Amino acid sequence: MTTESQDPAARAAQLLKGHRESIDRLDAILVYTLGERFKHTQAVGRLKAEHDLPPSDPTREAAQIARLEDLAEQADLDPEFAKAFLNFIIDEVIRHHKKHQE
């Protein structure tokens, strides 16, 4: 049965299923990407602790936020959401870096 011959509710259900499958794949990509990102930030935290460097770098953080806002605009994503998301990640990274210095 083709999409054209299905009733509207069945077509909608089929489209919804496709969107949800895409969302599930993208969620997996996000989780694995964040996992990889945190492996690198953990290594940075250990290096900072070994060399008695501060756990945060406000200059880099500001540059990263500006960079992410630009990327968000290019990706048609709300820059405020992107900024809030990166701030959440940065806060978590700094928390991890502080643990390395304890």
Side-chain angles (χ1 to χ4, degrees), residues 14-79:
Q14 186 177 25
L15 291 170
L16 182 62
K17 181 178 185 264
H19 286 301
R20 287 179 172 165
E21 288 170 352
S22 292
I23 290 167
D24 291 349
R25 283 190 300 275
L26 291 165
D27 285 346
I29 290 168
L30 286 171
V31 168
Y32 279 95
T33 300
L34 285 171
E36 190 65 24
R37 187 187 196 288
F38 277 98
K39 286 177 191 172
H40 289 283
T41 60
Q42 290 286 354
V44 167
R46 286 188 295 275
L47 279 169
K48 286 182 173 185
E50 289 170 13
H51 298 282
D52 200 30
L53 297 169
S56 69
D57 182 345
T59 302
R60 174 163 166 75
E61 292 159 20
Q64 285 296 94
I65 288 170
R67 180 178 162 269
L68 194 71
E69 286 176 319
D70 288 341
L71 288 171
E73 287 182 14
Q74 292 171 31
D76 198 26
L77 178 68
D78 177 7

